[in-house]
Amino acid sequence: MTRTQGFDTLQIHAGTAPDPATGARQVPIYQTTAYVFRDADHAARLFNLQEVGNIYSRLTNPTVSALAARIATLEGGAGAFCCSSGHAAQIMAFFPLMEPGRNVVASSRLYGGTMQQLTNTFRKFGWSAKFVDFDDMDAVKAAIDDDTRALFCESIANPGGHVTDLPAIAAIADAAGVPLVVDNTSASPWLIRPIEHGATIVVHSVTKYLTGNGTVTGGAVVDSGRFDWSASGKFPSLSQPEPAYHGLKFHEALGAMAYTFWGIAIGLRDLGMTMNPQGAHYSLMGIETLSLRMAKHVENAQKVAEWLARHPGVEAVSYAGLPTSPSHERARRLLPRGAGALFTVALKGGYDTCVKFVDSLELFSLVANLGDTRSLVIHPASTTHRQLSPEGRAAAGAADNVVRLSIGIEDAADIIADLEQALARAAG
Ligand SMILES: *Cc1c(COP(=O)(O)O)cnc(C)c1O
């Protein structure tokens, strides 16, 4: 078959074929730790990366590999590997690029947990992050120095739903000779494929829309296969003899798959942030309906955001699908299918009004999650963004009077009815 298949076909078929051993149509859960080598020579060839195959499930597992291949295909990448969570995927994405003393230039609009990881946990590795406004291209350029090894942002930034100008940021990364790493969790590849806009690497919290039903904690790292790791001396793990893998020069030996293989052969081997086969199976089932769910998510989000924007108890709605959003034009250009289903609402009132509002919602669940079929709500100031300073919260779009909504795929009228009664109770 030579024609390129469409997204709806690929989300069901990419990376999988009927099971060669049993003919099973659905991808089996290969619940095994290890794999029998044909003989000692076969074992040696696998360990030398001369032949691709399964050795031990900390590195690869057929169920997990099927999911990785499907995500790589949907994102238009050369290769991918899965991880135990979205946060694990972020560490794993940076691990091949970084060394003590190196830094990442990151957007100041990020998931609260990611701000923490990049600020405090990065330090434990001797890495650092500089947070800048990714709408200010001069500030991004100015933040890059000789020790910068990556730029990092979210395609649709959590929690405010702000859209990043990926082509402009990618151009800056290109000029500086560093990869652009994009967290595409809030958008999913059905809304935007960052690699098509110049990203080098895409990370996902598979926990969210890709699985889509709130059952799995997982992550994925996708490599475009396009970055020239040998063009500068900046990425010795990939371009120089790797002491952690008997001196193999990954880029020279593996070309477009160098980063992916390094991530598995060294990253997963030594950090062990591996996805389990059971979780991969649930994610494979979820991903089959990604396009159908995303279409309904964005349709509902648009209706709900428009309704909220007209409500007298609401001060502002951040949704990029509204003409009042500063990223509206950008969303129309980069996200023609819709601006996602995650946004914030600033209520008239403060912290206490928001607490009353979230406590009054009945259909919405008050949870620290997003991208579920169910509508979800959280008050960032009292939860996910609690550890940040008030200024940091405001900069991240999570001021005290702000709640974040993740609009589900229920009937839009029921979602709106729930918001209406909770706004009335919060005001009363
Ligand atoms: C949830 C989330 C993460 C972290 O993923 P986990 O699977 O919870 O570890 C990272 N980035 C974004 C945008 C997220 O929403």
Side-chain angles (χ1 to χ4, degrees):
M1 202 171 344
T2 51
R3 62 185 294 279
T4 311
Q5 294 177 324
F7 194 99
D8 292 354
T9 304
L10 294 171
Q11 71 187 353
I12 296 169
H13 292 282
T16 61
D19 181 49
T22 62
R25 179 60 274 198
Q26 189 49 279
V27 181
I29 303 170
Y30 283 93
Q31 196 69 47
T32 183
T33 309
Y35 308 84
V36 178
F37 306 123
R38 289 193 300 271
D39 52 33
D41 180 55
H42 177 224
R45 292 180 59 79
L46 293 180
F47 275 89
N48 276 340
L49 301 182
Q50 288 165 300
E51 189 177 326
V52 176
N54 298 300
I55 296 175
Y56 187 68
S57 283
R58 175 159 25 83
L59 307 171
T60 59
N61 168 283
T63 315
V64 179
S65 298
L67 176 64
R70 192 169 301 172
I71 294 172
T73 300
L74 295 180
E75 285 289 2
F81 52 91
C82 290
C83 304
S84 50
S85 70
H87 269 185
Q90 289 172 189
I91 291 291
M92 289 290 298
F94 291 122
F95 192 49
L97 313 178
M98 301 292 278
E99 289 173 315
R102 309 304 187 204
N103 68 68
V104 171
V105 172
S107 169
S108 51
R109 293 186 192 85
L110 294 175
Y111 175 69
T114 301
M115 301 284 270
Q116 282 304 329
Q117 186 188 59
L118 269 57
T119 305
N120 295 310
T121 296
F122 257 37
R123 248 182 238 143
K124 298 272 200 181
F125 294 95
W127 310 345
S128 62
K130 301 188 209 180
F131 297 101
V132 292
D133 180 353
F134 267 41
D135 278 353
D136 183 344
M137 299 306 158
D138 291 333
V140 176
K141 283 181 208 160
I144 298 171
D145 63 28
D146 288 345
D147 287 320
T148 301
R149 291 294 176 270
L151 303 191
F152 180 69
C153 62
E154 296 174 3
S155 50
I156 300 180
N158 185 341
H162 188 86
V163 180
T164 307
D165 192 347
L166 292 182
I169 298 291
I172 295 174
D174 267 357
V178 295
L180 169 61
V181 182
V182 176
D183 181 342
N184 200 30
T185 298
S186 309
S188 91
W190 192 72
L191 292 180
I192 189 169
R193 308 201 311 160
I195 290 170
E196 290 174 358
H197 298 282
T200 312
I201 290 154
V202 174
V203 294
H204 271 283
S205 169
V206 174
T207 315
K208 314 290 171 51
Y209 292 106
L210 292 185
T211 302
N213 49 39
T215 52
V216 166
T217 306
V221 181
V222 183
D223 177 33
S224 63
R226 291 194 198 145
F227 195 85
D228 185 351
W229 304 111
S230 306
S232 69
K234 288 183 175 176
F235 303 100
S237 293
L238 296 161
S239 65
Q240 300 302 310
E242 173 54 85
Y245 215 87
H246 50 72
L248 185 71
K249 290 171 100 169
F250 275 76
H251 192 209
E252 190 180 287
L254 298 156
M257 291 300 285
Y259 177 92
T260 302
F261 273 88
W262 198 99
I264 296 167
I266 296 177
L268 290 178
R269 184 194 70 187
D270 292 357
L271 298 181
M273 300 174 175
T274 309
M275 183 183 272
N276 68 77
Q278 188 94 32
H281 175 75
Y282 290 136
S283 297
L284 279 165
M285 290 200 286
I287 219 168
E288 293 183 346
T289 57
L290 179 64
S291 65
L292 307 178
R293 287 184 285 106
M294 292 313 295
K296 177 80 169 166
H297 276 295
V298 295
E299 181 192 320
N300 278 357
Q302 185 70 34
K303 284 184 192 160
V304 172
E306 285 172 10
W307 181 84
L308 281 168
R310 290 192 303 266
H311 194 281
V314 169
E315 189 179 286
V317 181
S318 71
Y319 191 52
L322 298 178
T324 48
S325 160
S327 37
H328 184 62
E329 282 313 311
R330 200 176 284 166
R332 292 177 58 132
R333 176 164 53 91
L334 299 175
L335 298 149
R337 285 172 158 165
L342 182 74
F343 57 87
T344 55
V345 187
L347 300 186
K348 286 182 185 155
Y351 192 96
D352 295 338
T353 310
C354 287
V355 168
K356 231 174 173 181
F357 173 72
V358 298
D359 283 346
S360 302
L361 285 164
E362 289 166 6
L363 183 64
F364 278 77
S365 304
L366 175 60
V367 298
N369 192 17
L370 62 96
D372 196 332
T373 49
R374 291 153 197 81
S375 289
L376 310 176
V377 64
I378 197 148
H379 180 216
S382 58
T383 55
T384 52
H385 288 60
R386 188 182 186 93
Q387 266 79 337
L388 300 182
S389 66
E391 301 75 49
R393 282 208 287 269
D400 284 359
N401 70 327
V402 165
V403 293
R404 185 189 74 189
L405 303 179
S406 170
I407 302 300
I409 58 175
E410 303 99 333
D411 286 288
D414 292 329
I415 299 172
I416 289 171
D418 193 35
L419 292 167
E420 187 163 33
Q421 64 80 21
L423 281 166
R425 282 205 254 170

PDB file of all heavy atoms in Angstrom, residues 282-302:
ATOM      1  N   TYR A 282      -4.428  -0.195  27.703  1.00  0.00           N
ATOM      2  CA  TYR A 282      -5.538   0.754  27.884  1.00  0.00           C
ATOM      3  C   TYR A 282      -5.361   1.976  26.979  1.00  0.00           C
ATOM      4  O   TYR A 282      -6.321   2.486  26.410  1.00  0.00           O
ATOM      5  CB  TYR A 282      -5.626   1.228  29.340  1.00  0.00           C
ATOM      6  CG  TYR A 282      -6.083   0.179  30.319  1.00  0.00           C
ATOM      7  CD1 TYR A 282      -5.442   0.025  31.543  1.00  0.00           C
ATOM      8  CD2 TYR A 282      -7.160  -0.647  30.048  1.00  0.00           C
ATOM      9  CE1 TYR A 282      -5.856  -0.920  32.461  1.00  0.00           C
ATOM     10  CE2 TYR A 282      -7.579  -1.599  30.957  1.00  0.00           C
ATOM     11  CZ  TYR A 282      -6.924  -1.739  32.161  1.00  0.00           C
ATOM     12  OH  TYR A 282      -7.335  -2.665  33.059  1.00  0.00           O
ATOM     13  N   SER A 283      -4.116   2.443  26.876  1.00  0.00           N
ATOM     14  CA  SER A 283      -3.860   3.619  26.044  1.00  0.00           C
ATOM     15  C   SER A 283      -4.105   3.319  24.567  1.00  0.00           C
ATOM     16  O   SER A 283      -4.631   4.153  23.832  1.00  0.00           O
ATOM     17  CB  SER A 283      -2.431   4.124  26.256  1.00  0.00           C
ATOM     18  OG  SER A 283      -2.274   4.542  27.593  1.00  0.00           O
ATOM     19  N   LEU A 284      -3.722   2.105  24.132  1.00  0.00           N
ATOM     20  CA  LEU A 284      -3.980   1.714  22.739  1.00  0.00           C
ATOM     21  C   LEU A 284      -5.477   1.701  22.454  1.00  0.00           C
ATOM     22  O   LEU A 284      -5.927   2.125  21.386  1.00  0.00           O
ATOM     23  CB  LEU A 284      -3.398   0.315  22.468  1.00  0.00           C
ATOM     24  CG  LEU A 284      -1.905   0.257  22.173  1.00  0.00           C
ATOM     25  CD1 LEU A 284      -1.393  -1.183  22.301  1.00  0.00           C
ATOM     26  CD2 LEU A 284      -1.600   0.798  20.784  1.00  0.00           C
ATOM     27  N   MET A 285      -6.261   1.246  23.422  1.00  0.00           N
ATOM     28  CA  MET A 285      -7.718   1.230  23.211  1.00  0.00           C
ATOM     29  C   MET A 285      -8.265   2.645  23.167  1.00  0.00           C
ATOM     30  O   MET A 285      -9.117   2.962  22.337  1.00  0.00           O
ATOM     31  CB  MET A 285      -8.392   0.414  24.308  1.00  0.00           C
ATOM     32  CG  MET A 285      -8.090  -1.069  24.159  1.00  0.00           C
ATOM     33  SD  MET A 285      -9.279  -2.106  25.016  1.00  0.00           S
ATOM     34  CE  MET A 285      -8.780  -1.827  26.697  1.00  0.00           C
ATOM     35  N   GLY A 286      -7.740   3.490  24.041  1.00  0.00           N
ATOM     36  CA  GLY A 286      -8.226   4.864  24.068  1.00  0.00           C
ATOM     37  C   GLY A 286      -7.889   5.610  22.789  1.00  0.00           C
ATOM     38  O   GLY A 286      -8.731   6.325  22.222  1.00  0.00           O
ATOM     39  N   ILE A 287      -6.685   5.443  22.320  1.00  0.00           N
ATOM     40  CA  ILE A 287      -6.191   6.228  21.185  1.00  0.00           C
ATOM     41  C   ILE A 287      -6.968   5.926  19.900  1.00  0.00           C
ATOM     42  O   ILE A 287      -7.023   6.749  18.987  1.00  0.00           O
ATOM     43  CB  ILE A 287      -4.661   5.989  21.034  1.00  0.00           C
ATOM     44  CG1 ILE A 287      -3.942   7.275  20.656  1.00  0.00           C
ATOM     45  CG2 ILE A 287      -4.348   4.908  20.045  1.00  0.00           C
ATOM     46  CD1 ILE A 287      -2.425   7.139  20.778  1.00  0.00           C
ATOM     47  N   GLU A 288      -7.630   4.749  19.839  1.00  0.00           N
ATOM     48  CA  GLU A 288      -8.401   4.382  18.644  1.00  0.00           C
ATOM     49  C   GLU A 288      -9.521   5.386  18.349  1.00  0.00           C
ATOM     50  O   GLU A 288      -9.971   5.502  17.215  1.00  0.00           O
ATOM     51  CB  GLU A 288      -9.042   2.991  18.828  1.00  0.00           C
ATOM     52  CG  GLU A 288      -8.035   1.860  18.882  1.00  0.00           C
ATOM     53  CD  GLU A 288      -8.692   0.492  18.980  1.00  0.00           C
ATOM     54  OE1 GLU A 288      -9.910   0.428  19.263  1.00  0.00           O
ATOM     55  OE2 GLU A 288      -7.980  -0.500  18.772  1.00  0.00           O
ATOM     56  N   THR A 289      -9.987   6.085  19.378  1.00  0.00           N
ATOM     57  CA  THR A 289     -11.111   7.021  19.190  1.00  0.00           C
ATOM     58  C   THR A 289     -10.676   8.473  19.387  1.00  0.00           C
ATOM     59  O   THR A 289     -11.511   9.355  19.601  1.00  0.00           O
ATOM     60  CB  THR A 289     -12.247   6.709  20.184  1.00  0.00           C
ATOM     61  OG1 THR A 289     -11.715   6.776  21.521  1.00  0.00           O
ATOM     62  CG2 THR A 289     -12.842   5.326  19.950  1.00  0.00           C
ATOM     63  N   LEU A 290      -9.368   8.717  19.304  1.00  0.00           N
ATOM     64  CA  LEU A 290      -8.857  10.063  19.598  1.00  0.00           C
ATOM     65  C   LEU A 290      -9.547  11.145  18.767  1.00  0.00           C
ATOM     66  O   LEU A 290     -10.017  12.153  19.306  1.00  0.00           O
ATOM     67  CB  LEU A 290      -7.339  10.104  19.374  1.00  0.00           C
ATOM     68  CG  LEU A 290      -6.668  11.450  19.613  1.00  0.00           C
ATOM     69  CD1 LEU A 290      -6.784  11.862  21.073  1.00  0.00           C
ATOM     70  CD2 LEU A 290      -5.188  11.398  19.214  1.00  0.00           C
ATOM     71  N   SER A 291      -9.636  10.956  17.455  1.00  0.00           N
ATOM     72  CA  SER A 291     -10.193  12.016  16.594  1.00  0.00           C
ATOM     73  C   SER A 291     -11.657  12.274  16.919  1.00  0.00           C
ATOM     74  O   SER A 291     -12.115  13.419  16.903  1.00  0.00           O
ATOM     75  CB  SER A 291     -10.030  11.646  15.118  1.00  0.00           C
ATOM     76  OG  SER A 291     -10.801  10.494  14.814  1.00  0.00           O
ATOM     77  N   LEU A 292     -12.408  11.203  17.218  1.00  0.00           N
ATOM     78  CA  LEU A 292     -13.843  11.363  17.519  1.00  0.00           C
ATOM     79  C   LEU A 292     -14.012  12.142  18.818  1.00  0.00           C
ATOM     80  O   LEU A 292     -14.857  13.041  18.916  1.00  0.00           O
ATOM     81  CB  LEU A 292     -14.520   9.992  17.651  1.00  0.00           C
ATOM     82  CG  LEU A 292     -14.328   9.032  16.485  1.00  0.00           C
ATOM     83  CD1 LEU A 292     -14.999   7.694  16.770  1.00  0.00           C
ATOM     84  CD2 LEU A 292     -14.901   9.639  15.208  1.00  0.00           C
ATOM     85  N   ARG A 293     -13.206  11.783  19.798  1.00  0.00           N
ATOM     86  CA  ARG A 293     -13.298  12.479  21.088  1.00  0.00           C
ATOM     87  C   ARG A 293     -12.867  13.930  20.965  1.00  0.00           C
ATOM     88  O   ARG A 293     -13.516  14.837  21.496  1.00  0.00           O
ATOM     89  CB  ARG A 293     -12.443  11.754  22.147  1.00  0.00           C
ATOM     90  CG  ARG A 293     -13.045  10.442  22.605  1.00  0.00           C
ATOM     91  CD  ARG A 293     -12.226   9.801  23.721  1.00  0.00           C
ATOM     92  NE  ARG A 293     -10.990   9.182  23.267  1.00  0.00           N
ATOM     93  CZ  ARG A 293      -9.769   9.645  23.442  1.00  0.00           C
ATOM     94  NH1 ARG A 293      -9.567  10.772  24.120  1.00  0.00           N
ATOM     95  NH2 ARG A 293      -8.713   9.002  22.983  1.00  0.00           N
ATOM     96  N   MET A 294     -11.735  14.161  20.277  1.00  0.00           N
ATOM     97  CA  MET A 294     -11.235  15.539  20.194  1.00  0.00           C
ATOM     98  C   MET A 294     -12.232  16.447  19.478  1.00  0.00           C
ATOM     99  O   MET A 294     -12.411  17.608  19.854  1.00  0.00           O
ATOM    100  CB  MET A 294      -9.863  15.592  19.503  1.00  0.00           C
ATOM    101  CG  MET A 294      -8.703  14.965  20.267  1.00  0.00           C
ATOM    102  SD  MET A 294      -8.557  15.401  22.008  1.00  0.00           S
ATOM    103  CE  MET A 294      -8.195  17.143  21.925  1.00  0.00           C
ATOM    104  N   ALA A 295     -12.878  15.925  18.447  1.00  0.00           N
ATOM    105  CA  ALA A 295     -13.861  16.736  17.714  1.00  0.00           C
ATOM    106  C   ALA A 295     -14.975  17.173  18.662  1.00  0.00           C
ATOM    107  O   ALA A 295     -15.406  18.338  18.647  1.00  0.00           O
ATOM    108  CB  ALA A 295     -14.413  15.943  16.531  1.00  0.00           C
ATOM    109  N   LYS A 296     -15.427  16.250  19.501  1.00  0.00           N
ATOM    110  CA  LYS A 296     -16.514  16.569  20.435  1.00  0.00           C
ATOM    111  C   LYS A 296     -16.006  17.467  21.578  1.00  0.00           C
ATOM    112  O   LYS A 296     -16.711  18.379  22.026  1.00  0.00           O
ATOM    113  CB  LYS A 296     -17.091  15.251  20.970  1.00  0.00           C
ATOM    114  CG  LYS A 296     -18.175  15.394  22.004  1.00  0.00           C
ATOM    115  CD  LYS A 296     -19.539  15.693  21.393  1.00  0.00           C
ATOM    116  CE  LYS A 296     -20.614  15.545  22.466  1.00  0.00           C
ATOM    117  NZ  LYS A 296     -21.888  16.104  22.089  1.00  0.00           N
ATOM    118  N   HIS A 297     -14.773  17.202  22.030  1.00  0.00           N
ATOM    119  CA  HIS A 297     -14.185  18.058  23.074  1.00  0.00           C
ATOM    120  C   HIS A 297     -14.163  19.522  22.611  1.00  0.00           C
ATOM    121  O   HIS A 297     -14.573  20.417  23.351  1.00  0.00           O
ATOM    122  CB  HIS A 297     -12.743  17.624  23.383  1.00  0.00           C
ATOM    123  CG  HIS A 297     -12.606  16.498  24.356  1.00  0.00           C
ATOM    124  ND1 HIS A 297     -12.987  16.589  25.680  1.00  0.00           N
ATOM    125  CD2 HIS A 297     -12.095  15.245  24.220  1.00  0.00           C
ATOM    126  CE1 HIS A 297     -12.717  15.443  26.303  1.00  0.00           C
ATOM    127  NE2 HIS A 297     -12.185  14.606  25.442  1.00  0.00           N
ATOM    128  N   VAL A 298     -13.657  19.756  21.404  1.00  0.00           N
ATOM    129  CA  VAL A 298     -13.507  21.156  20.970  1.00  0.00           C
ATOM    130  C   VAL A 298     -14.871  21.785  20.646  1.00  0.00           C
ATOM    131  O   VAL A 298     -15.081  22.975  20.895  1.00  0.00           O
ATOM    132  CB  VAL A 298     -12.514  21.349  19.788  1.00  0.00           C
ATOM    133  CG1 VAL A 298     -11.101  20.985  20.206  1.00  0.00           C
ATOM    134  CG2 VAL A 298     -12.903  20.565  18.555  1.00  0.00           C
ATOM    135  N   GLU A 299     -15.796  20.986  20.135  1.00  0.00           N
ATOM    136  CA  GLU A 299     -17.140  21.507  19.849  1.00  0.00           C
ATOM    137  C   GLU A 299     -17.808  21.956  21.157  1.00  0.00           C
ATOM    138  O   GLU A 299     -18.370  23.062  21.252  1.00  0.00           O
ATOM    139  CB  GLU A 299     -17.970  20.408  19.168  1.00  0.00           C
ATOM    140  CG  GLU A 299     -19.374  20.819  18.785  1.00  0.00           C
ATOM    141  CD  GLU A 299     -20.231  19.609  18.385  1.00  0.00           C
ATOM    142  OE1 GLU A 299     -19.710  18.695  17.707  1.00  0.00           O
ATOM    143  OE2 GLU A 299     -21.410  19.589  18.783  1.00  0.00           O
ATOM    144  N   ASN A 300     -17.720  21.100  22.178  1.00  0.00           N
ATOM    145  CA  ASN A 300     -18.296  21.451  23.482  1.00  0.00           C
ATOM    146  C   ASN A 300     -17.585  22.650  24.108  1.00  0.00           C
ATOM    147  O   ASN A 300     -18.224  23.538  24.677  1.00  0.00           O
ATOM    148  CB  ASN A 300     -18.197  20.259  24.437  1.00  0.00           C
ATOM    149  CG  ASN A 300     -19.312  19.240  24.232  1.00  0.00           C
ATOM    150  OD1 ASN A 300     -20.201  19.459  23.411  1.00  0.00           O
ATOM    151  ND2 ASN A 300     -19.248  18.142  24.960  1.00  0.00           N
ATOM    152  N   ALA A 301     -16.257  22.652  24.017  1.00  0.00           N
ATOM    153  CA  ALA A 301     -15.477  23.725  24.650  1.00  0.00           C
ATOM    154  C   ALA A 301     -15.857  25.078  24.052  1.00  0.00           C
ATOM    155  O   ALA A 301     -16.000  26.080  24.764  1.00  0.00           O
ATOM    156  CB  ALA A 301     -13.983  23.468  24.481  1.00  0.00           C
ATOM    157  N   GLN A 302     -16.046  25.106  22.735  1.00  0.00           N
ATOM    158  CA  GLN A 302     -16.406  26.354  22.074  1.00  0.00           C
ATOM    159  C   GLN A 302     -17.770  26.852  22.585  1.00  0.00           C
ATOM    160  O   GLN A 302     -17.920  28.026  22.947  1.00  0.00           O
ATOM    161  CB  GLN A 302     -16.439  26.134  20.546  1.00  0.00           C
ATOM    162  CG  GLN A 302     -16.684  27.389  19.733  1.00  0.00           C
ATOM    163  CD  GLN A 302     -15.511  28.365  19.743  1.00  0.00           C
ATOM    164  OE1 GLN A 302     -14.342  27.957  19.785  1.00  0.00           O
ATOM    165  NE2 GLN A 302     -15.801  29.655  19.751  1.00  0.00           N
TER     166      GLN A 302
END
